[in-house]
Amino acid sequence: MFRTALRNVAAHKGRLLMTVLAVMLGTAFVAGTMVFSDTLGKAMTNSYSKSYSDISVQVTDSSASAYARASEKTGDGAELTKATVDQLAALPGVAQVRGVAAGFTAVANKKGDLIGQAYNAYGANWSPAADGKDPRYPMVEGQGPKKAGEVALDRSSADKAGYKVGDTVRVAGNGPAQDVKLTGIFTTDDPQITSGATLTLFDTATAQQFLLSPGRFSAIDVQGKPGTSQTALQDAVISKLPKEGSITAKTGDQLTADQTKMVEQGTSGMKTMLLAFAGISLFVGIFIIANTFTMLIAQRTKELALLRAIGAARGQITRSVLAEALLIGLTASVAGLVTGIGIGAAMQAGMAKLAEGMPTGPLVIAPATVITALVTGVVVTVVSALLPAVRASRIAPVAAMASGDAPATQKSLIVRNVIGSLLAAAGFAMILGGAAKGGETGRYVIMGGAPVAMIGIFVLLPLLSRPVIALTGPLLAAVAGTPGKLARRNAVRNPRRTATTAAALTIGLTLVTAMTVMGASVGGAVDRIVSKGVVADYKVSSANRMSLSPELAEKVAKAPGVTASSALTNAYWDLEGKDSAVSGVNPATLPKLLDLTMDAGSADALAKGQVLVEAETAKKRGLTVGSTVKADFMDGKTGTLTVGGVYQSLDMLSPFVVADSVMAPHAKDADIRDILVKGTDGATTALATSVKEATGNNPVIEVKTLEQMKEEFNQIISFALNMMYGLLAMSVLVAVLGVVNTLAMSVFERKREIGMLRAIGLDRRGIKRMVKLESVVISLFGAVTGVLLGSFLAWAVNSTLDSSIPGLVTELPYGQLLLFLLMAGLVGLVAALWPARRASKLDILTSIKTD
């Protein structure tokens, strides 16, 4: 029987080609993902480990982070200073101690625009040793900064901006922008900088003043003498540090381990996402494999019957078919593994181009990758062939020899429909329950119900195919005449096969539609949130969402062309025992910037020192106009606020709003994230330029209209969707192979029928049209099912997000959905080209004689 299996594989190479390709593509995606993530993870780990190669112990002050404001202090008053450095330097076993002052520093190019991204812009101190060199940052041009007004730039940033030693460079930290002289250009193996971040070096005193506060360090690097244990040195260092507070000490090995863990977590999430899409491709491939073996067995009915007649047991027949599947799966998996290694290399090269400076290294082909790829491909193929193998073993010798076709019995279809109905009902019930539950819990319920509902729909597809495809009959007859009628009948003749072919496209279209509808819905909600109630022309904010200074707000208000402006100050006060977000605004200019819809009271109450409350918050807390609210302010003082109005929610404002005059006495370090601006002539280029100049042309400050903010967010959604479409392209390709495979084998099965059609007058062009239309109808059937199911899933998920995204409603992008259907029809048409051509070239007499 094993030799028979080998002969069958060799005899049907062409028919099994599409199955091999489907398995190969799925396993290639799996192998490529694992190779890419392992390679990237290893390269990043090796790169980041260099950051601590010369550090035995690092002392850090978490309150002096790279993005801390100069006004921020540690809760216990403890700081890292020169005295701390001297204390640690005096410890036995210490070879060298270096104080580090680091923080956010943006650099402008010659046009005044920010170099790189704000979240990747750093500044630090140049700390030369006795030889005048800082080993961390070797200079390739010029020299390190020695006094205020001098800086050095990393080579990549200098090259991007076209700066040379001696040029004037504009830099900005947490304060105003400054023009400084470029004295040097350096290189570094710091992975953050080599990955595209910008690094600006100051002399130590300037770095402390510019980035933190005078005399303060954000970290201290301690290097031990040869033979000194990192752990012993860490214990000695800790003995000199405050017992409580934000100052901690870790060894170089601990820092490397933490960095390695962070890299693993980062690559693990990416690997999981990519493997999920690889799993979708393999799931689609299951339908192709099962369909292929079902049709092959139907074509070999007499052969299998003869084997049963001469003594082959049912188990032998089953094992024979599974042996074929094993050989195909093993061959395809090996090919997929080799292809996957190539995909991994291509992904690494693509990542290097997209993310300049991303660490690279030799390809990592781990044993786990090889085993996973081979086992996955073989298991998927064998499991997919299991049901056809069992069916093959049930062929009765005499009955099978009497007929070349073994149609499904009515009983089997009834059982299938009952099972499908139960699964679909259970899945849809879970989805509806999750939608009603809402929140994160509801989303988890939907995630559990969606696969069950999809499987139920797949099981029911044979039942659905007949009435749905029947609706196309009049259209096909009107457009294509007799070939159209024949195409419709062929599409519903074998509902199992039609359903299996359509299911592959249904999976892809379900996911694509769900993401598209959710993207359109979220985009629409954000558009409404951003624009709701806002009549200001521009919003001024920091690119890294850091707080803006009150002085900046005053300068913007005085800029030429500005008729009204207001800083939106943020604070958290304890109101009636609950921590509550509060916005501070200028009540005189607020009506020109925001159009508040009042449910009760008036916005004029702000000028009287009263508080406005958002409607939902007022309802939950039982507050109305005239209610008093006990307030515990952040400065330790207490007071009583009177509710002067209730307003409908605005994204720009917190649930409680007070006048600046009420906020200021209790907000020493005002947290201003946005400044709203209204111009004399509206949102003009001149006004934007005027406001930008008022900020000192600070490269960190952004001046944007509402439309620009919407466009920016929509670009993020579009990027995410395009990435998902790209990842789903593999499953769509596998689905196309399924359509080609089904039609090719269907043509082979219907040789006699096609020969008879040709004999009674249907020309070759009519045969081609018949096969193409059959393919288009099946593809559209799968696509329509996928679009409907995807839209329903998107609605359910959106229902769980309405509390997180106010005003979220499900929006159907009809244009895109129609495009998906048209593309599905095109897929069916392209997939039918080769089978249609093959069918049209069949010899009439030879076909009629076919057994």
Side-chain angles (χ1 to χ4, degrees):
M1 294 303 294
F2 182 72
R3 287 196 297 272
T4 301
L6 286 174
R7 291 194 198 101
N8 284 328
V9 171
H12 302 101
K13 294 187 291 292
R15 298 181 219 172
L16 294 170
L17 177 61
M18 298 300 173
T19 298
V20 172
L21 285 175
V23 178
M24 185 194 76
L25 288 174
T27 53
F29 204 163
V30 171
T33 295
M34 298 185 72
V35 168
F36 170 66
S37 56
D38 290 344
T39 300
L40 181 62
K42 183 67 174 177
M44 292 182 69
T45 299
N46 291 339
S47 177
Y48 278 100
S49 65
K50 298 177 183 177
S51 301
Y52 312 109
S53 58
D54 63 341
I55 297 176
S56 299
V57 177
Q58 185 179 75
V59 182
T60 57
D61 181 356
S62 60
S63 71
S65 66
Y67 288 92
R69 296 196 305 275
S71 60
E72 289 180 336
K73 304 290 184 181
T74 55
D76 54 7
E79 293 180 358
L80 300 178
T81 63
K82 180 67 166 57
T84 316
V85 172
D86 293 340
Q87 279 184 309
L88 300 183
L91 290 172
V94 172
Q96 183 180 355
V97 179
R98 180 173 57 229
V100 178
F104 167 75
T105 303
V107 185
N109 59 23
K110 292 183 177 181
K111 295 181 179 179
D113 299 324
L114 182 68
I115 300 175
Q117 301 295 327
Y119 62 83
N120 249 353
Y122 302 96
N125 61 313
W126 164 260
S127 181
D131 60 359
K133 298 179 180 179
D134 189 332
R136 299 172 299 170
Y137 311 115
M139 291 289 162
V140 292
E141 294 181 36
Q143 61 183 9
K146 296 181 179 180
K147 60 183 180 180
E150 295 181 348
V151 298
L153 278 179
D154 68 278
R155 186 174 211 164
S156 176
S157 299
D159 289 344
K160 287 178 183 177
Y163 284 132
K164 299 184 182 300
V165 172
D167 287 348
T168 299
V169 178
R170 173 151 290 204
V171 297
N174 300 326
Q178 298 180 12
D179 289 329
V180 293
K181 181 181 179 180
L182 181 64
T183 62
I185 296 174
F186 62 90
T187 60
T188 177
D189 58 2
D190 186 325
Q192 288 182 305
I193 309 307
T194 57
S195 298
T198 61
L199 178 60
T200 307
L201 297 181
F202 306 85
D203 66 280
T204 298
T206 301
Q208 290 175 324
Q209 170 126 15
F210 190 73
L211 303 173
L212 301 167
S213 57
R216 185 182 185 186
F217 291 110
S218 55
I220 298 176
D221 294 339
V222 181
Q223 186 176 358
K225 293 179 180 178
T228 303
S229 164
Q230 288 190 1
T231 304
L233 189 57
Q234 180 188 32
D235 292 338
V237 168
I238 291 176
S239 68
K240 299 295 182 181
L241 300 177
K243 301 301 180 184
E244 298 179 357
S246 58
I247 297 176
T248 58
K250 288 188 176 183
T251 66
D253 291 340
Q254 289 174 328
L255 293 169
T256 301
D258 290 345
Q259 195 69 61
T260 301
K261 184 178 180 180
M262 185 183 73
V263 170
E264 289 175 351
Q265 290 175 340
T267 55
S268 175
M270 177 187 63
K271 180 191 287 188
T272 300
M273 182 186 71
L274 292 174
L275 287 176
F277 285 94
I280 293 170
S281 298
L282 286 169
F283 186 58
V284 173
I286 288 174
F287 292 93
I288 299 176
I289 299 165
N291 214 11
T292 300
F293 276 94
T294 298
M295 289 188 286
L296 284 175
I297 287 167
Q299 293 169 13
R300 287 158 44 198
T301 299
K302 289 188 176 181
E303 174 190 329
L304 294 174
L306 284 171
L307 289 173
R308 293 279 286 115
I310 61 176
R314 286 187 174 182
Q316 289 179 298
I317 297 294
T318 301
R319 287 192 293 273
S320 174
V321 175
L322 293 179
E324 292 181 45
L326 178 64
L327 290 171
I328 294 167
L330 188 59
T331 302
S333 298
V334 171
L337 175 62
V338 174
T339 305
I341 294 173
I343 291 175
M347 291 173 71
Q348 184 188 25
M351 177 65 76
K353 288 185 178 181
L354 291 174
E356 184 181 353
M358 181 65 69
T360 59
L363 286 180
V364 177
I365 307 172
T369 300
V370 177
I371 295 172
T372 301
L374 296 179
V375 171
T376 299
V378 170
V379 169
V380 167
T381 309
V382 172
V383 169
S384 303
L386 184 59
L387 188 58
V390 171
R391 287 176 182 166
S393 68
R394 293 177 179 175
I395 295 176
V398 177
M401 282 188 276
S403 173
D405 190 19
T409 63
Q410 186 67 22
K411 179 181 178 181
S412 66
L413 288 175
I414 292 175
V415 171
R416 174 173 179 149
N417 292 339
V418 170
I419 294 174
S421 299
L422 292 175
L423 287 173
F428 282 117
M430 291 177 67
I431 294 171
L432 291 172
K437 179 74 174 176
E440 187 176 3
T441 303
R443 286 194 290 277
Y444 281 122
V445 175
I446 292 172
M447 288 172 61
V452 177
M454 289 181 70
I455 293 173
I457 291 295
F458 296 157
V459 175
L460 287 174
L461 282 178
L463 176 66
L464 298 174
S465 64
R466 289 184 180 275
V468 173
I469 294 178
L471 296 175
T472 65
L475 178 61
L476 291 175
V479 172
T482 299
K485 294 179 181 179
L486 292 172
R488 184 192 65 79
R489 292 176 181 174
N490 289 334
V492 297
R493 175 188 298 179
N494 191 330
R496 288 175 179 272
R497 183 181 304 167
T498 297
T500 305
T501 306
L505 282 170
T506 298
I507 296 171
L509 265 296
T510 297
L511 297 173
V512 168
T513 299
M515 289 187 298
T516 302
V517 172
M518 283 170 41
S521 302
V522 172
V526 170
D527 282 352
R528 289 189 293 273
I529 290 172
V530 170
S531 58
K532 180 183 178 182
V534 179
V535 292
D537 295 320
Y538 284 99
K539 185 183 81 167
V540 181
S541 59
S542 172
N544 59 358
R545 297 305 293 163
M546 287 174 55
S547 179
L548 304 174
S549 66
E551 294 79 10
L552 182 65
E554 293 174 4
K555 290 180 180 180
V556 169
K558 297 176 182 178
V562 174
T563 58
S565 72
S566 175
L568 301 183
T569 308
N570 302 296
Y572 281 89
W573 293 345
D574 187 308
L575 302 180
E576 295 292 344
K578 295 182 180 179
D579 198 24
S580 307
V582 184
S583 291
V585 299
N586 183 342
T589 59
L590 185 65
K592 298 179 181 180
L593 303 169
L594 295 175
D595 182 15
L596 289 180
T597 301
M598 304 300 298
D599 288 348
S602 170
D604 295 336
L606 289 172
K608 301 175 184 178
Q610 297 178 341
V611 61
L612 303 184
V613 187
E614 185 266 331
E616 189 66 27
T617 303
K619 181 179 179 181
K620 289 180 180 178
R621 299 198 182 189
L623 299 175
T624 59
V625 174
S627 298
T628 57
V629 180
K630 181 182 178 182
D632 292 321
F633 305 114
M634 294 297 291
D635 59 359
K637 298 179 180 179
T638 60
T640 301
L641 299 174
T642 301
V643 177
V646 177
Y647 71 95
Q648 292 185 8
S649 175
L650 279 184
D651 184 61
M652 291 280 184
L653 298 177
S654 300
F656 293 88
V657 183
V658 296
D660 286 333
S661 57
V662 176
M663 173 78 74
H666 309 290
K668 182 180 178 181
D669 299 323
D671 183 14
I672 301 173
R673 296 301 172 93
D674 302 297
I675 302 172
L676 299 181
V677 175
K678 185 73 173 178
T680 306
D681 301 317
T684 63
T685 304
L687 177 61
T689 302
S690 174
V691 172
K692 185 71 173 178
E693 289 177 350
T695 70
N697 287 318
N698 192 320
V700 186
I701 303 302
E702 296 179 332
V703 181
K704 293 183 177 180
T705 64
L706 295 180
E707 291 303 319
Q708 288 172 329
M709 288 188 287
K710 292 179 187 178
E711 183 180 351
E712 188 176 75
F713 187 84
N714 287 332
Q715 286 177 347
I716 296 174
I717 294 179
S718 296
F719 175 79
L721 287 176
N722 290 334
M723 183 177 68
M724 294 297 180
Y725 293 157
L727 293 172
L728 284 171
M730 186 72 74
S731 61
V732 174
L733 178 58
V734 174
V736 173
L737 293 177
V739 177
V740 175
N741 195 30
T742 299
L743 289 174
M745 300 191 77
S746 178
V747 167
F748 179 83
E749 279 188 340
R750 303 202 312 253
K751 274 185 177 181
R752 178 180 293 176
E753 174 188 323
I754 293 172
M756 290 296 294
L757 289 172
R758 293 277 286 112
I760 61 175
L762 189 62
D763 58 11
R764 290 186 175 182
R765 184 178 179 183
I767 294 294
K768 284 184 180 181
R769 187 178 299 176
M770 177 187 72
V771 175
K772 290 177 183 178
L773 288 174
E774 178 184 350
S775 175
V776 170
V777 167
I778 293 174
S779 298
L780 285 175
F781 168 60
V784 169
T785 305
V787 166
L788 293 175
L789 186 56
S791 298
F792 175 71
L793 289 176
W795 166 82
V797 174
N798 286 344
S799 298
T800 68
L801 296 172
D802 54 3
S803 59
S804 304
I805 306 177
L808 177 64
V809 293
T810 300
E811 297 182 14
L812 297 178
Y814 294 104
Q816 286 179 275
L817 298 183
L818 180 60
L819 179 62
F820 293 157
L821 295 178
L822 292 175
M823 290 178 66
L826 182 61
V827 163
L829 185 62
V830 172
L833 292 178
W834 177 63
R837 180 180 176 83
R838 182 182 178 187
S840 68
K841 289 189 173 183
L842 290 176
D843 181 80
I844 298 176
L845 295 178
T846 304
S847 300
I848 292 175
K849 290 193 301 180
T850 299
D851 291 330

